[in-house]
Amino acid sequence: MSWDVTCLTVNHSSPLPLHYQLSQLLCAAIASGDLKPGDCIPPETYIVEHLGISRATVRQAISGLVNRGLLYRKKGKGTFVAAPKIDGGFFAKLESFHQEMLEKGLTPSTRVLQWERIPPDGEINAVLELPPDAPLLLLRRLRFANGMPVVQVDTYLSAQLFGGLLEQDMEKNSLYQLLESMYHRPVIRARRSIEAVNAHPDEAKYLETEPGSALFLVKTVAYSSGSLPVEYSIARYRGDNNKFTIELTR
């Protein structure tokens, strides 16, 4: 849906820069709910004509809001209001994506992109502390919150230890729950790292974002009892609709 810009006015005699005024007006419309997530803002040319300001000014205001994550662009379609970022707390506690989204009042869903036995991979086998010739399981999933793609995650496990999981529907079942109920190996601790990367075209396609856009790359090694890892996952979170909060105490 496109939003009517005719309700906006700027003060050309104000000492406040025009791009700042436009930015604040758009922010106020988003905060009040006049502009809702998914709404398309009018084309730059229409804003230029209505407010009597330059196209460069409009672009500066909109680009600033895109950089702040309040707006996002879709090539060939326009500029839209972004949904509020999902605050991921999984650096502070260990729980499934499904449970975390439910606790935030969001509806989680999963699409399995790949679920199969694969040949050994030197780097992954080393992380899982498996013999170099040990086959692996690869579970590639696209995970959603309220129908919006949030993360693409590749999960690797030992095929020799957990081959029976291939019989399970991983769009409906929790991996951690299955590890506990089928193999008596509850995940009790994990080591995670995070870094910033840019989306490759195939990742951007699944996550419904632009190639080259910012992603959080999160790598997790999960452990059951003892010291041997049971799972290694590589997750790519959209940068425009996720943030992570860590609470520290002294």
Side-chain angles (χ1 to χ4, degrees):
M1 134 181 198
S2 184
W3 177 66
D4 185 4
V5 74
T6 58
C7 60
L8 298 184
T9 58
V10 294
N11 184 352
H12 289 263
S13 61
S14 170
L16 292 175
L18 292 173
H19 71 84
Y20 176 80
Q21 291 186 51
L22 176 57
S23 174
Q24 292 301 102
L25 290 169
L26 292 172
C27 285
I30 293 171
S32 68
D34 290 336
L35 271 174
K36 298 178 176 58
D39 282 355
C40 180
I41 69 170
E44 292 178 0
T45 52
Y46 187 76
I47 300 176
V48 166
E49 182 179 346
H50 171 69
L51 296 179
I53 58 181
S54 71
R55 191 161 188 171
T57 296
V58 174
R59 284 183 175 173
Q60 186 175 1
I62 291 175
S63 294
L65 296 181
V66 169
N67 292 336
R68 289 169 57 186
L70 296 176
L71 301 175
Y72 66 94
R73 294 187 174 101
K74 281 189 176 181
K75 191 172 182 179
K77 295 184 178 180
T79 303
F80 299 82
V81 179
K85 291 194 175 188
I86 298 169
D87 190 349
F90 76 167
F91 278 89
K93 58 182 177 179
L94 188 58
E95 64 183 356
S96 68
F97 174 87
H98 185 91
Q99 184 61 35
E100 185 180 6
M101 294 303 104
L102 289 177
E103 290 178 0
K104 297 180 185 303
L106 303 171
T107 301
S109 57
T110 298
R111 183 195 308 163
V112 172
L113 305 175
Q114 187 176 352
W115 184 208
E116 63 182 352
R117 182 184 175 113
I118 63 170
D121 179 286
E123 179 181 351
I124 294 167
N125 283 48
V127 172
L128 288 172
E129 300 182 35
L130 296 172
D133 60 347
L136 300 166
L137 299 180
L138 168 59
L139 173 59
R140 176 168 291 162
R141 291 171 289 178
L142 187 61
R143 315 206 74 173
F144 301 82
N146 288 353
M148 177 181 65
V150 174
V151 56
Q152 178 188 321
V153 55
D154 294 347
T155 299
Y156 299 91
L157 307 107
S158 166
Q160 293 177 336
L161 292 176
F162 306 116
L165 289 173
L166 287 172
E167 306 294 326
Q168 302 298 315
D169 183 349
M170 299 310 297
E171 291 189 353
K172 297 180 180 178
N173 291 308
S174 162
L175 174 61
Y176 283 6
Q177 288 178 359
L178 290 174
L179 287 174
E180 182 170 1
S181 63
M182 292 179 61
Y183 297 95
H184 308 292
R185 296 200 181 200
V187 172
I188 59 174
R189 66 184 180 91
R191 186 179 72 247
R192 285 191 168 120
S193 64
I194 184 170
E195 60 183 291
V197 297
N198 298 113
H200 294 298
D202 55 340
E203 297 163 352
K205 178 184 71 173
Y206 285 121
L207 291 169
E208 297 180 16
T209 188
E210 294 294 324
S213 59
L215 302 179
F216 295 111
L217 180 68
V218 179
K219 297 180 179 180
T220 300
V221 183
Y223 299 81
S224 185
S225 57
S227 60
L228 291 179
V230 294
E231 173 225 9
Y232 175 45
S233 70
I234 303 172
R236 295 165 176 84
Y237 286 81
R238 279 177 50 166
D240 61 345
N241 63 10
N242 286 281
K243 63 178 180 178
F244 301 105
T245 300
I246 303 172
E247 182 175 336
L248 303 176
T249 59
R250 182 178 181 181

